[in-house]
């Protein structure tokens, strides 16, 4: 995929979102962009300023970010359930805009073998209403904006 390609975002059931995106970078670089906070904080918030209030990248660790977009702020947090380096991250995800509506996100990293990496995220919500609420919140635009910022970070490191 080129850096202008949007993510594939599907509702795989009434409680699940399935997101896929290919990046023009090797697995090691994409993994670093997800696991090293100095890189993650540069792309995760769609290119906006992100305050990292907490970052404990380990099983059971807690993370919390606050994204700033002009006068608006958006808080997000979760806990890591599983981290398998360069393969998989399983974590909870909660957005302050929908407090106590937590999804479990499983992100898998696939080495495509040609200097590209596929990132697949499956998000499972407690109810269909929570999944629909996240979709209605504009998560698709946010995901695509963040991934465009990740494309730019990866391109700058080439």
């Amino acid at each position: 995929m080129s850096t202008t390609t949007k993510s594939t975002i599907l509702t795989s059931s009434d409680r699940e979102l399935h997101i896929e995106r290919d990046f023009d970078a090797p697995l090691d670089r994409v993994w670093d962009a997800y696991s090293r906070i100095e890189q993650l904080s540069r792309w995760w918030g769609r290119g906006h300023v992100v305050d990292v209030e907490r970052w404990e990248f380990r099983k059971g660790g807690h993370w919390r970010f606050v994204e700033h977009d002009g006068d608006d702020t958006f808080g997000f947090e979760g806990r890591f359930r599983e981290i398998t380096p360069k393969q998989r991250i399983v974590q909870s995800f909660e957005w302050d805009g929908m407090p106590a509506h937590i999804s479990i996100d499983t992100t898998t990293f696939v080495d495509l073998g040609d200097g590209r990496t596929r990132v697949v995220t499956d998000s499972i919500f407690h109810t269909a209403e929570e999944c629909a609420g996240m979709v209605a919140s504009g998560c698709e635009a946010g995901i695509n904006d963040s991934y465009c910022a990740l494309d730019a970070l990866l391109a700058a490191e080439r």
Side-chain angles (χ1 to χ4, degrees):
M1 289 184 176
S2 73
T3 58
T4 59
T5 302
K6 291 186 176 183
S7 305
T8 301
I9 302 173
L10 306 168
T11 51
S12 51
S13 78
D14 64 350
R15 293 180 37 227
E16 298 179 33
L17 291 179
H18 177 84
I19 304 156
E20 289 189 21
R21 180 68 145 68
D22 291 357
F23 293 94
D24 292 325
L27 175 62
D28 288 345
R29 289 199 13 241
V30 175
W31 176 259
D32 285 349
Y34 268 80
S35 62
R36 297 179 61 198
I37 195 59
E38 63 276 5
Q39 292 186 34
L40 184 70
S41 64
R42 291 172 51 198
W43 68 265
W44 194 89
R46 304 176 288 170
H48 299 136
V49 172
V50 172
D51 289 332
V52 178
E53 293 184 352
R54 188 169 211 154
W55 180 250
E56 301 166 347
F57 191 66
R58 59 175 168 74
K59 184 177 180 177
H62 182 199
W63 62 272
R64 178 160 173 80
F65 305 151
V66 177
E67 174 190 349
H68 300 274
D69 180 10
D71 291 333
D72 294 325
T73 59
F74 307 94
F76 305 87
E77 68 183 295
R79 291 193 178 269
F80 294 104
R81 287 186 168 193
E82 174 189 334
I83 299 171
T84 305
K86 300 180 186 175
Q87 293 179 23
R88 183 170 135 126
I89 299 170
V90 181
Q91 63 187 334
S92 61
F93 176 90
E94 181 177 0
W95 169 46
D96 289 355
M98 288 178 57
H101 296 278
I102 300 167
S103 66
I104 302 301
D105 298 348
T106 300
T107 301
T108 305
F109 301 84
V110 180
D111 184 348
L112 297 176
D114 58 358
R116 295 181 319 127
T117 303
R118 177 168 295 144
V119 176
V120 178
T121 301
D122 290 297
S123 299
I124 301 175
F125 296 82
H126 185 68
T127 67
E129 293 77 20
E130 291 175 4
C131 183
M134 186 60 72
V135 170
S137 76
C139 73
E140 182 173 0
I143 290 164
N144 282 314
D145 289 348
S146 288
Y147 279 167
C148 284
L150 177 53
D151 280 328
L153 175 71
L154 294 168
E157 292 179 354
R158 284 188 198 131

